[in-house]
Amino acid sequence: MKTTLNGWANEFRDVLLDNFVPFWTQYSPDYEYGGYLCGFMRDGELFYEDKSVWQQGRSLWMFSKLYNEFGQKQEWLKCAKCGYDFINKYCFADNGHMYFRVTRDGRPLVERRYYFSEAFAVMGYAEYYKATGLVEAKERAIKLFDKMLYYYTTPGVFAPKVNPNTRKNRGHSIVMIMMNVAQCMREIDDSPKYDEVISSSLDTILNMFVKEDEKALFETVGANGERLNTPDGRFINPGHSLETAWFMMKEAVHRKDAKLMEKCIQITEWSIERGWDNEKGGMFYFVDVENKPVLSLEWDMKLLWVHCEAMIALTYAYWYTGDRKYTALFDKIKSYVFAHYPDVGHPEWFGHLHRDGTPINYIKGSDWKGPFHNVRAFMILSQMLTRIANGEKLEF
């Protein structure tokens, strides 16, 4: 098994450092206007110039993380600074809320009711602080996290998507991201508020969104965790469930909490069982818990990021249990990924496939496809698989 694990680790590292990272290092940093370009054709040709603010924070995080953990290359630090300066100068509205999209030269285009832009900026700031020791970056991270926490805990700051006088919903995604951002901030700041946010998030996810009887982690529930008999209430996002599972697994390792780890492994099994397409292979984007129609027409697409989250969760499951059923599942998903997403003869990989595994288009970058889920996963997997192969144990 050691040989297999080392082989997998090397595969992920080679793709990461020889394919993904060179593409984004070459094409994404915009040294004319600052920040990161996002919209690329198959070989790096720019097909639109507007900039996703999500991707500004995510790319700042990526280049800083590469510098911190994969060799202190000055090129990566230069790329990180390009994003750090652009975010600070152009990505905030006068009220302090971050935009969703800006023009290439930083003029505002779209501001949404959500604060995921803030989440990725905080993560980027925190990692950039680790790379540079720049106190200003740490201060920005703390201040912006506090802004997020205010949004999160203050009803009515943003107009709700669904009229709360008619139906009070709770969404899983914001709870998930608050937990993950708090985990990132805990690495650079010793305030107890991060553990408080993480504990609250764990409680909410496990007691409101996880339904044992239906073996599922739901995306939307009622105000008190009620199961809703609506398309939204039956909706399962396997990728989000798996991403949340490994965020919680990371926390279980940090807290040495065996019960939490075992629950997360259950969620991983449920999510893969529900999400895997037994007919054509790969993970569905969305499913209905009762196998009723999903209103989102992209439900049967096969997205790379979903498979990335599955591979991380399965690696944690194997590391904790030593049970080879998890490496068998890992190998099945990895085999699908390496058979369908690489664009042979061209840089980077496809992000979106039809159900039959053929590419929906040949773009390599957009608002929704950038260097985050795939780069993050291949970083984590190359590191974790090496540690497991070297005999490192999880201690609980």
Side-chain angles (χ1 to χ4, degrees), residues 302-319:
K302 308 292 172 60
L303 274 63
L304 175 57
W305 77 264
V306 173
H307 299 76
C308 287
E309 308 311 322
M311 290 189 291
I312 298 173
L314 287 168
T315 302
Y316 268 113
Y318 173 70
W319 197 0

Side-chain angles (χ1 to χ4, degrees), residues 80 85 130 215 259 262:
D85 291 342
K130 285 196 255 180
K215 297 183 177 180
K259 184 177 179 181
E262 288 157 10

Side-chain angles (χ1 to χ4, degrees), residues 241-359:
S241 299
L242 290 158
E243 189 176 13
T244 295
W246 77 256
F247 288 168
M248 294 194 296
M249 288 169 163
K250 180 179 178 180
E251 193 59 29
V253 173
H254 176 80
R255 299 184 178 203
K256 301 186 185 305
D257 187 336
K259 184 177 179 181
L260 175 59
M261 178 62 85
E262 288 157 10
K263 175 55 63 181
C264 296
I265 292 172
Q266 270 193 325
I267 294 168
T268 297
E269 292 183 2
W270 298 342
S271 302
I272 292 173
E273 183 177 355
R274 288 194 178 280
W276 184 259
D277 182 351
N278 290 314
E279 181 181 347
K280 298 182 182 296
M283 296 284 294
F284 286 122
Y285 192 15
F286 304 136
V287 295
D288 184 283
V289 75
E290 296 178 11
N291 295 316
K292 293 177 179 176
V294 180
L295 295 183
S296 300
L297 299 181
E298 66 271 32
W299 70 272
D300 66 348
M301 286 169 53
K302 308 292 172 60
L303 274 63
L304 175 57
W305 77 264
V306 173
H307 299 76
C308 287
E309 308 311 322
M311 290 189 291
I312 298 173
L314 287 168
T315 302
Y316 268 113
Y318 173 70
W319 197 0
Y320 176 73
T321 65
D323 192 330
R324 292 197 181 184
K325 74 178 181 180
Y326 299 115
T327 50
L329 280 171
F330 178 96
D331 190 39
K332 180 169 76 168
I333 292 174
K334 176 186 173 293
S335 296
Y336 182 88
V337 167
F338 277 76
H340 291 88
Y341 291 99
D343 186 10
V344 179
H346 304 271
E348 246 286 352
W349 286 9
F350 300 122
H352 308 90
L353 308 178
H354 293 292
R355 183 179 179 184
D356 65 3
T358 56

